[in-house]
Amino acid sequence: MKVKNIIYTICSVLVLSSCNYLDVTPAGKVIPETVTDFRALVTSGYSTIPDYKYLLSLRSDELFPLSGTQVYSEYINFALWVDNSPNNTISYPWGGLYKTIFYTNSVIEDVMSAEINTNEDSREQVMAEALLLRAYMHFELLNLYAKPYDITTADADKGVPIATKIDIEQIYVPATVEKVYEQILSDIKEGRELMQVDEQPEGTKYRFSKKTAMIFEARVRLYRSEWEQALSLAEELIPTCSLENFNDAQFVLPYTKSSKENIMNLEMIGGSNNMRDLYILPEYVAKYKDGDLRSGRYFAKDGDYYKLIKGNGDNLKVSFRGAEVYLIAAEAAAHVDGKLNSAKTYLKNFVETRLTPEYFAQKSAEIDVMNQQQLLDEISDERAREFIIEGHRWYDLRRTTQPEIVKPNPNGTEATITLGTGGVGYVIPYPSEASESNPDLRN
């Protein structure tokens, strides 16, 4: 990486203290000169995203740690909504996501004046990716640590600090949920306008493209209950989105990097070699019926428990895939007046690729006679079945009904531990190390 005399060196994240959010080594600090230099910075941003979605699967109704295993004490607090325990050796991400934002801000500030070398990315492409990655990190932080979007309260609900510039004197005060979403949508809009690449080739599918920018915006619109906008984006995308058909002998598991259905493979699914010591809660397994071809491919019986098959290995990376586009279209259409039949069609077109022909015929007939609420419930269950441990389930529970979740008692008694409907556990508190450093993060 060519530089003048110094290079950006990021040492450690200070979790958004009141005066700054990153510790940057001042000695030997220099500024990138070329687009290639800035490409290296945004690539570093992609690579620093921590693995954490499996922790959300523990928090939801998906997974539970096996008693007596090596990881039980490490994971049980996540499963039972015990936050900021001094016994936790791992945590939901905070500093790691802001560290990625630091990289993107380093690019956004200066890339448009960078020198251009032959046969390299354009300034616009690198800028677009940085904007979209910054938006994605703010989106994740918001859905981790703030209340779900509610149009009636979003202007007042506390969100997360917005970080859009490198300024060690900046005061990082949480913005409202609405303000954070305004920044996310602004970055998406600008990123889409600058984006040059329609779809990334296999070797760089971890990067944003025009296609993934659209899917990302469709997801954001869905989370904001902006049904017509989410539907419009999904309908435009569907003709370009392939689905793996589990009835085909040569199908590839859709969440793997090599699948034609995998559109962006930025995030590790499991992120832990200890996934074998987690089991799927029985109520979740019951969502899969005979004739669902995902049984035996997403999980399998292991003694008294059902264990995950997906969740380990470098090939298991996915952030956006074709299944999500169809299910966004189905859910959004179900909320739009006069589009209920379209919603049913999108859902059936998807589930046909996951079920045996015999079971699909039965399921199709059931979908045809569903009313709106029954269809929305079915779409919710379908998202649960399809995206197990991919990070969607916790966010889906939060943004929809926030139902009661019942977990086994760690003491082995018949009593259970419950997160009540709409309970406080549906919002993860700011990490203690962040709130201790920054008084503005204290509730």
Side-chain angles (χ1 to χ4, degrees):
M1 178 174 174
K2 292 184 178 179
V3 291
K4 294 179 180 175
N5 355 12
I6 52 176
I7 184 170
Y8 276 108
T9 307
I10 300 174
C11 288
S12 62
V13 178
L14 293 183
V15 293
L16 286 179
S17 70
S18 59
C19 61
N20 62 13
Y21 68 104
L22 289 166
D23 185 11
V24 182
T25 303
K29 174 186 166 187
V30 285
I31 299 172
E33 294 180 321
T34 69
V35 174
T36 300
D37 296 341
F38 285 102
R39 163 56 70 193
L41 277 179
V42 77
T43 298
S44 294
Y46 284 125
S47 66
T48 58
I49 298 174
D51 302 328
Y52 60 93
K53 294 296 177 68
Y54 69 101
L55 296 176
L56 299 181
S57 295
L58 282 161
R59 193 177 186 92
S60 75
D61 56 354
E62 296 167 273
L63 301 179
F64 203 78
L66 276 168
S67 179
T69 61
Q70 191 173 8
V71 302
Y72 184 81
S73 61
E74 186 173 41
Y75 289 151
I76 188 61
N77 283 340
F78 294 94
L80 297 179
W81 316 288
V82 179
D83 297 309
N84 288 330
S85 167
N87 297 323
N88 290 349
T89 58
I90 53 178
S91 62
Y92 302 111
W94 177 268
L97 300 182
Y98 279 107
K99 184 175 182 179
T100 295
I101 291 172
F102 174 92
Y103 279 111
T104 65
N105 287 340
S106 300
V107 173
I108 292 165
E109 282 197 359
D110 295 311
V111 69
M112 295 308 287
S113 60
E115 298 174 10
I116 300 175
N117 294 334
T118 306
N119 298 324
E120 67 180 0
D121 288 319
S122 67
R123 297 180 183 124
E124 290 80 7
Q125 178 64 28
V126 177
M127 178 73 160
E129 290 181 39
L131 285 162
L132 288 158
L133 184 56
R134 183 170 74 180
Y136 192 45
M137 294 300 94
H138 280 104
F139 177 78
E140 286 294 311
L141 284 160
L142 192 63
N143 283 284
L144 283 166
Y145 299 110
K147 292 181 180 179
Y149 183 80
D150 181 339
I151 192 171
T152 64
T153 61
D155 278 330
D157 291 336
K158 183 185 285 190
V160 295
I162 297 172
T164 58
K165 57 185 177 180
I166 301 172
D167 179 2
I168 63 173
E169 301 301 325
Q170 182 177 350
I171 304 300
Y172 289 97
V173 179
T176 66
V177 169
E178 184 61 44
K179 287 295 184 184
V180 182
Y181 265 121
E182 286 176 4
Q183 182 62 51
I184 290 167
L185 289 168
S186 174
D187 281 350
I188 291 173
K189 181 178 185 294
E190 187 177 356
R192 288 187 62 189
E193 289 170 350
L194 291 170
M195 184 64 68
Q196 308 290 301
V197 175
D198 291 333
E199 188 169 357
Q200 294 287 353
E202 185 169 346
T204 54
K205 274 191 176 181
Y206 65 89
R207 300 176 182 174
F208 274 99
S209 65
K210 289 182 181 180
K211 187 171 181 177
T212 48
M214 286 182 67
I215 300 173
F216 177 27
E217 183 174 349
R219 185 187 292 182
V220 171
R221 299 296 182 184
L222 190 81
Y223 278 43
R224 287 169 57 86
S225 301
E226 294 171 342
W227 309 120
E228 292 185 356
Q229 289 162 286
L231 178 59
S232 177
L233 287 160
E235 288 182 327
E236 185 175 347
L237 283 159
I238 278 177
T240 72
C241 292
S242 300
L243 294 174
E244 297 283 357
N245 191 328
F246 283 40
N247 290 286
D248 294 341
Q250 303 302 317
F251 88 96
V252 177
L253 289 168
Y255 49 81
T256 58
K257 289 196 295 184
S258 55
S259 170
K260 65 183 180 181
E261 187 173 317
N262 192 338
I263 301 167
M264 188 175 185
N265 54 33
L266 177 59
E267 298 160 285
M268 184 78 73
I269 287 182
S272 171
N273 290 326
N274 298 318
M275 300 298 285
R276 64 183 178 276
D277 292 329
L278 308 175
Y279 69 93
I280 306 173
L281 289 166
E283 293 80 6
Y284 208 90
V285 174
K287 294 180 183 295
Y288 299 84
K289 308 301 182 183
D290 291 342
D292 191 323
L293 295 169
R294 289 165 294 200
S295 298
R297 293 177 173 87
Y298 288 6
F299 58 87
K301 190 75 179 292
D302 182 359
D304 294 332
Y305 300 95
Y306 283 90
K307 303 282 192 69
L308 290 162
I309 292 175
K310 75 177 187 180
N312 286 307
D314 287 341
N315 191 40
L316 306 184
K317 289 186 174 183
V318 63
S319 296
F320 299 100
R321 58 187 178 94
E324 183 179 3
V325 177
Y326 277 83
L327 292 172
I328 286 175
E331 183 178 346
H335 283 281
V336 175
D337 289 344
K339 293 287 187 178
L340 196 64
N341 286 335
S342 295
K344 293 176 180 180
T345 297
Y346 291 131
L347 180 60
K348 289 191 293 184
N349 287 346
F350 171 68
V351 298
E352 186 176 12
T353 67
R354 301 308 196 247
L355 310 179
T356 63
E358 296 77 17
Y359 184 34
F360 173 68
Q362 174 189 331
K363 176 62 71 174
S364 179
E366 293 172 1
I367 291 171
D368 283 340
V369 297
M370 287 180 179
N371 61 30
Q372 182 193 43
Q373 188 56 57
Q374 290 169 333
L375 184 62
L376 286 169
D377 291 343
E378 181 64 29
I379 292 166
S380 176
D381 282 345
E382 188 54 42
R383 287 179 64 93
R385 289 186 283 264
E386 180 60 26
F387 297 129
I388 183 170
I389 77 158
E390 291 184 37
H392 292 270
R393 180 60 174 172
W394 176 247
Y395 293 161
D396 283 348
L397 293 174
R398 276 170 36 88
R399 69 180 178 85
T400 54
T401 60
Q402 297 187 17
E404 178 182 87
I405 304 176
V406 179
K407 298 285 185 75
N409 193 305
N411 296 322
T413 65
E414 291 185 3
T416 55
I417 295 178
T418 300
L419 173 61
T421 302
V424 294
Y426 270 109
V427 178
I428 301 172
Y430 303 125
S432 56
E433 63 269 25
S435 56
E436 287 168 5
S437 301
N438 184 352
D440 292 306
L441 295 177
R442 296 171 193 165
N443 294 325

